[in-house]
Amino acid sequence: MSLVKDLPRLAEEAVTVSGWIASVRVHARVAFVVLRDGTGVVQGVVVKSAVSEDTWALVTSLTQESCVAVGGVVREDARAPGGYELTVSDVEIVGASDEYPIQPKEHGVEFLLDHRHLWLRSSQQRAGLKVRAEVEQAIHDFLYERDFVRIDTPILTGAIGESAGTLFETDYFGERAFLAQTGQLYVESACPAFRKVYCFGPTFRAEKSKTRRHLTEFWMVEPEVAFADSNDNMTLQEAFVCYMVERALERCGPELEVLGRDRSRLESVVAPFPRISYCEAVERLNAEGREFEWGRDLGAVEETLISDWFDRPVFVYNYPKEAKAFYMKENPDDPRTVLCNDLLAPDGAGEIIGGSQREDDHDRLLARIREEGLPEDAYTWYLDLRKFGTFPHSGFGLGVERTVGWITGRPHIRELVPFPRLINRLTP
Ligand code: 4AD
Ligand code: MG
C-alpha cells in the first residue's frame, strides 16, 4: 500500500492507495475520484473504456466518505492538484458510507459540532488540528531543548488552584475533590527537585461564560523556573511564543493557506514584545475615551483595544491584587499590585498567557489564602514549600487552544480542540 504523500516519487509506477472518498464526479466516458488518505489528497481518473464493466459500475456508485482501496498508475500532470494524479485500473470497497451527513454545502455550527466525529475529516478542521499538533510538538521541543523536566500533575485535586468561582466538584470517597484548574501548585513543588519544570495537560473551568474564547476543558502548558523573577518570566514567554509561531510558519504552510491565514501577521511576531504596565494601560484607555476603573480585570473589549496599539503580542504587567489569584507575589514598589503579566495576542485573540512571580514568603502567602477565604487545610503542603527552603520563582500558563486559535486566525477556539467541551456540549 502506498501513501498519497509519497506519490510524487512514484511516477509511472503501479500503486494501491487506501483512503476515503472526498468527492466523485462522473461524466459519460470518464470519472474523477478524489481520495484522501490522511497524508494527502489525490485525484484518480477512471476512463470507462480502460476498466472492466464491474469497476465502472462500482466507480459510478461510489459515495462520499466510503473507504476504498484504489489501484492505478501514478502520472505526472501539471494540471492536476499537486502536479500528479492516478490513472485508476481497479477499485475495491473497504467500508461503504451511506448518506454521509456532512455535505458540500453550508451547515449550521451546532449541526457540525453534533457531528464533530465526522467534521474532523473536513479540510479546514484537519488544517487547524494539524497546526495544533505541530504547536504542541514545538512546546515540548522548546522546553526539552532548554532542560525543562516534564512533570505530570494530578487532575483530581483537593486544593483550589486558581479561584473558587469556576470549579468542577466531585465526591471523592466522601471528600470534596475538584478537577484541576491548573497544575501550577504541583510544578512549583517540583522546582526544588529539578529547577526548570513544566506540566502539560487538560485543565477544567466551569466557566459560565459562553464566549468564543472559553472552553470548560482546555489544554495548558505551565513552565516554572527557580530563581526567575517576573522580567525573566516575560523574556522566556516571548522566546517560547516566537518559537511556536516560527514552527507553524515553517512546517504548516499548506495548512495556514487552507485556513486563509495572512502569514505577514505572524512574520511580524519577533522578540522583544512591548511591555506595558496595567496602570499605564488603564491611563491610556481612559485617555482614549474608554472609561475603565482601576482595579478591575481587563475584559475582552479592553484586551482587544490594547493589543490593537501594537503589531505583535503585548505584555500587560503588574495587575491589581484583587484582580488576580492568591499565589502572586506582592509588588514591593506598589503593594496594591502583584508581579504578574498577561500576554495579549493580536487580531482580537486576547489573553493567551497568564504568568507571575510567586509569593515566596510563608506568612504573606498564608494571609492571602485567608483573605480569599480558601480552605487553609488544603494548602498545608503548598505552604511547606515556603517553610523548607523557600526561593524566588516564576512561571506561566499558556492556553493551547487560544494560542492555536490566534496562529490559525480562527475566530472560535472550539475548532482548535478535537472534541470541544462547552457549557452546553458534552457530546460527542
Ligand atoms: O491565566 P490563567 O488562569 O493562569 C493559570 O492558570 C496559572 N495557574 C498559570 C501559571 O501561572 N502556571 O490561565 C492561563 C491561560 C490563559 O492565558 C488562557 O490562554 C488559558 O489558560 N485559559 C483558557 N483557555 C480556554 N478556555 C478557558 N476557559 C480558559 N481559561 C484560561
Ligand atoms: Mg488569566
Side-chain angles (χ1 to χ4, degrees):
M1 193 189 296
S2 300
L3 301 175
V4 170
K5 74 175 170 67
D6 297 330
L7 297 187
R9 287 189 274 115
L10 299 172
E12 303 309 320
E13 287 189 36
V15 298
T16 302
V17 178
S18 296
W20 295 264
I21 301 286
S23 69
V24 188
R25 275 178 299 136
V26 180
H27 301 285
R29 282 188 288 265
V30 64
F32 299 97
V33 178
V34 177
L35 189 72
R36 185 191 71 243
D37 81 337
T39 73
V41 176
V42 66
Q43 173 165 276
V45 180
V46 193
V47 178
K48 187 177 179 184
S49 59
V51 296
S52 70
E53 256 176 51
D54 286 353
T55 299
W56 180 254
L58 198 149
V59 166
T60 57
S61 67
L62 282 177
T63 49
Q64 198 190 336
E65 291 303 322
S66 290
C67 183
V68 293
V70 175
V73 174
V74 181
R75 306 267 188 226
E76 274 181 76
D77 185 337
R79 291 162 306 169
Y84 56 94
E85 59 185 23
L86 207 56
T87 302
V88 176
S89 50
D90 53 55
V91 178
E92 192 188 311
I93 303 265
V94 178
S97 159
D98 283 332
E99 295 181 40
Y100 188 66
I102 302 179
Q103 292 296 313
K105 62 164 192 175
E106 284 288 307
H107 288 289
V109 73
E110 289 304 319
F111 176 88
L112 291 169
L113 285 168
D114 284 341
H115 294 86
R116 183 61 173 168
H117 51 296
L118 302 176
W119 192 25
L120 294 181
R121 305 179 190 189
S122 304
S123 59
Q124 291 207 329
Q125 300 309 308
R126 284 185 348 251
L129 293 176
K130 191 80 185 293
V131 175
R132 177 192 172 106
E134 193 61 53
V135 166
E136 289 186 336
Q137 189 59 49
I139 284 170
H140 296 300
D141 290 348
F142 177 94
L143 295 168
Y144 185 80
E145 284 165 17
R146 283 158 189 77
D147 297 327
F148 281 75
V149 176
R150 179 173 175 177
I151 300 294
D152 297 319
T153 55
I155 305 279
L156 285 167
T157 70
I160 299 167
E162 287 295 317
S163 66
T166 59
L167 288 168
F168 282 111
E169 190 176 329
T170 183
D171 171 66
Y172 191 75
F173 309 111
E175 240 185 287
R176 282 174 87 197
F178 311 106
L179 296 185
Q181 294 173 315
T182 170
Q184 180 195 319
L185 310 194
Y186 297 96
V187 279
E188 279 187 60
S189 316
C191 243
F194 300 106
R195 196 175 183 114
K196 296 203 271 184
V197 290
Y198 76 103
C199 62
F200 181 91
T203 43
F204 306 85
R205 309 244 173 128
E207 303 269 8
K208 302 292 184 317
S209 36
K210 210 174 162 181
T211 78
R212 57 188 189 80
R213 303 190 308 160
H214 286 92
L215 300 167
T216 55
E217 179 178 304
F218 63 96
W219 288 63
M220 185 157 54
V221 54
E222 297 184 85
E224 192 75 31
V225 180
F227 309 111
D229 66 15
S230 189
N231 285 319
D232 301 330
N233 199 27
M234 287 189 266
T235 302
L236 177 65
Q237 291 166 46
E238 109 201 323
F240 194 37
V241 168
C242 289
Y243 185 96
M244 281 175 225
V245 169
E246 250 171 59
R247 178 70 80 84
L249 281 168
E250 188 187 298
R251 301 203 190 168
C252 297
E255 286 77 17
L256 294 173
E257 198 175 320
V258 165
L259 295 164
R261 182 64 165 136
D262 177 357
R263 289 176 69 94
S264 71
R265 299 292 300 161
L266 299 174
E267 281 156 358
S268 62
V269 178
V270 283
F273 297 165
R275 299 181 185 190
I276 172 171
S277 73
Y278 171 90
C279 293
E280 289 169 284
V282 169
E283 257 173 44
R284 188 159 165 191
L285 283 170
N286 282 316
E288 291 186 1
R290 169 93 198 162
E291 270 183 41
F292 187 83
E293 199 187 323
W294 194 98
R296 280 174 44 211
D297 200 0
L298 300 172
V301 177
E302 289 82 22
E303 287 181 357
T304 303
L305 287 169
I306 294 169
S307 58
D308 282 348
W309 297 335
F310 306 95
D311 68 339
R312 62 192 79 184
V314 52
F315 290 112
V316 180
Y317 63 89
N318 296 4
Y319 284 66
K321 203 178 271 178
E322 61 263 36
K324 291 291 174 190
F326 69 96
Y327 50 71
M328 296 185 180
K329 188 175 175 64
E330 188 177 288
N331 177 7
D333 297 329
D334 179 0
R336 298 175 306 162
T337 63
V338 284
L339 298 175
C340 71
N341 75 269
D342 280 1
L343 181 66
L344 312 182
D347 302 329
E351 176 199 335
I352 57 169
I353 292 183
S356 64
Q357 188 165 339
R358 318 308 190 186
E359 184 53 79
D360 47 40
D361 180 85
H362 177 276
D363 295 348
R364 282 218 181 103
L365 181 60
L366 180 59
R368 288 291 292 135
I369 288 171
R370 287 181 177 154
E371 268 167 38
E372 295 286 316
L374 294 166
E376 213 173 300
D377 290 352
Y379 296 94
T380 313
W381 63 272
Y382 185 59
L383 285 159
D384 268 357
L385 305 178
R386 279 72 181 168
K387 280 210 281 200
F388 302 107
T390 193
F391 57 107
H393 59 293
S394 301
F396 63 90
L398 172 139
V400 170
E401 292 79 11
R402 287 204 194 162
T403 303
V404 179
W406 160 57
I407 291 176
T408 56
R410 299 303 290 167
H412 204 305
I413 66 168
R414 67 188 165 206
E415 288 184 26
L416 286 324
V417 59
F419 294 95
R421 294 290 172 252
L422 301 158
I423 195 166
N424 62 343
R425 182 166 294 283
L426 196 56
T427 315

